[in-house]
Amino acid sequence: MIGRAMEILDSRHHGVPVLHDLLQVVKDAPEDVRAAALDRGDIARYRDLTEGLEATLTSLAEGTSKLGTIFSRHTTQPMRRDSPVAFDLSGIDDGQLDLQAAALLACWSNGFATVNVSQVLADAGLEPRRNYFVVLDELWRALRSGRGIVDRIDALTRLNRQRGVGQVMVSHTMSDLLALPAEEDRMKAKGFVERSGMVICGGLPRSEMDQLTEVVKLTEAEIDMVSSWQDPAAWSAHEDGEGDPPGLGNFLIKVGGRTGIPIHVDLTPVERALNDTNKRWRDADAVAELTDELADTLTEGAGVSLDGTLEEVY
């Protein structure tokens, strides 16, 4: 029923439809939708058959579902085809798994549909040909977001040359790819690595090596090197505590069965700031340091004895 209703919207609706428009088509009960519902020519039967669908669409369209209003309105920032784009889902709490899954699937659908539109327009000579480079970060999260996403990635890895799309898939471990509930999905996810023209490994525990070496040929020396990068930092390497772990910035590039190329990556100050996953810890340290300095200033300047909290004195 939804498929037929979408076809009607595509042929009759002016502009970009939203869920309210889809809901209205279902309520209007056009012949195509009634045929899909198998109402046998009985409008009362049609109303009974579509009651659950109407309830679901109403909750989504009016923002009363647990997904809120995310999918009920027009986007305020349409995806551009001529500049880099990032879908940032960090504002969704990790506990809202259903919302994360729905948002991921929506972003994927929107992103790849836009790429397809660009390619069709280029084929018709209506805009310049653009080749897109797709970075699929946190791949494990996308794979677990819902049924069908594994097949979408699988198709992309097989047809990316034809579609003019290159991609990088980023995940933590091989175990992430093999943690899917269905065996056929696990085999497809394993194939992502097997078909990759280049595999880049950071530090990995030795327990991962059996799974990794099934799809990437590694020598014993390479296994030892990658495993050593997983070791923790030395104690008290700096005055402020632990030093950098030995694997920080180290990666091994593998292309087919060729000898791996170990590299080291140093980030610029701007990149360090953008990728600082310890920011909240550093913020806490900065606040504590500022509090100590303020307490010293109050004590020295006003002769105040701080026998309570700083907030009380301030």
Side-chain angles (χ1 to χ4, degrees):
M1 288 185 287
I2 291 176
R4 293 291 178 87
M6 293 287 288
E7 292 174 359
I8 292 171
L9 279 176
D10 188 47
S11 62
R12 302 179 187 176
H13 188 83
H14 297 290
V16 179
V18 293
L19 282 171
H20 273 292
D21 301 311
L22 180 62
L23 174 61
Q24 191 59 50
V25 171
V26 175
K27 289 180 176 180
D28 291 342
E31 287 299 324
D32 285 351
V33 179
R34 291 184 61 179
L38 299 176
D39 69 351
R40 313 300 184 191
D42 185 348
I43 189 64
R45 174 179 166 85
Y46 174 81
R47 297 301 179 195
D48 289 339
L49 290 169
T50 58
E51 183 177 8
L53 177 57
E54 280 194 37
T56 299
L57 290 176
T58 298
S59 66
L60 287 171
E62 296 180 359
T64 57
S65 73
K66 58 184 177 182
L67 302 182
T69 60
I70 288 181
F71 304 104
S72 61
R73 304 171 185 171
H74 286 289
T75 180
T76 56
Q77 187 61 52
M79 180 177 169
R80 294 180 57 179
R81 298 191 299 273
D82 60 349
S83 62
V85 173
F87 290 106
D88 182 5
L89 304 183
S90 61
I92 301 177
D93 188 83
D94 287 339
Q96 297 175 287
L97 298 180
D98 289 345
L99 182 55
Q100 280 188 345
L104 275 168
L105 290 172
C107 291
W108 273 60
S109 297
N110 183 48
F112 284 111
T114 303
V115 171
N116 290 338
V117 167
S118 177
Q119 301 294 14
V120 171
L121 291 174
D123 290 341
L126 298 177
E127 70 176 35
R129 174 74 63 190
R130 299 184 180 93
N131 294 113
Y132 290 87
F133 184 64
V134 182
V135 180
L136 310 178
D137 198 6
E138 299 291 353
L139 181 64
W140 67 271
R141 195 185 299 273
L143 290 174
R144 299 179 192 179
S145 64
R147 293 189 62 84
I149 199 69
V150 175
D151 293 317
R152 185 181 289 267
I153 303 176
D154 186 52
L156 181 64
T157 60
R158 296 174 187 273
L159 302 174
N160 53 357
R161 287 176 178 266
Q162 298 177 23
R163 297 180 179 180
V165 175
Q167 82 266 10
V168 166
M169 296 174 285
V170 185
S171 195
H172 294 277
T173 65
M174 283 291 293
S175 299
D176 289 337
L177 302 181
L178 302 179
L180 299 171
E183 175 63 22
E184 60 269 25
D185 287 344
R186 291 195 291 270
M187 295 304 295
K188 292 173 186 175
K190 184 178 177 181
F192 300 160
V193 184
E194 291 176 327
R195 289 192 299 277
S196 294
M198 180 182 297
V199 176
I200 303 175
C201 303
L204 289 170
R206 185 167 286 272
S207 59
E208 283 283 315
M209 292 305 163
D210 288 342
Q211 296 176 350
L212 182 61
T213 52
E214 288 183 7
V215 292
V216 181
K217 185 177 180 180
L218 295 173
T219 66
E220 284 299 323
E222 291 170 342
I223 291 175
D224 291 339
M225 179 169 54
V226 172
S227 300
S228 70
W229 292 341
Q230 186 68 16
D231 293 340
W235 293 111
S236 301
H238 299 309
E239 292 181 359
D240 58 350
E242 291 189 9
D244 293 332
L248 182 64
N250 292 341
F251 299 92
L252 180 69
I253 301 176
K254 287 291 292 185
V255 179
R258 301 175 186 174
T259 302
I261 305 172
I263 63 170
H264 179 78
V265 177
D266 287 317
L267 300 180
T268 67
V270 172
E271 290 170 329
R272 283 184 176 273
L274 289 173
N275 295 279
D276 187 1
T277 55
N278 294 325
K279 185 175 186 300
R280 290 186 174 178
W281 290 98
R282 301 186 198 285
D283 287 347
D285 292 340
V287 169
E289 183 178 345
L290 180 61
T291 301
D292 292 340
E293 292 178 359
L294 182 56
D296 292 341
T297 302
L298 288 172
T299 303
E300 295 172 1
V304 179
S305 176
L306 297 182
D307 56 357
T309 65
L310 181 62
E311 287 78 14
E312 290 172 348
V313 174
Y314 186 77

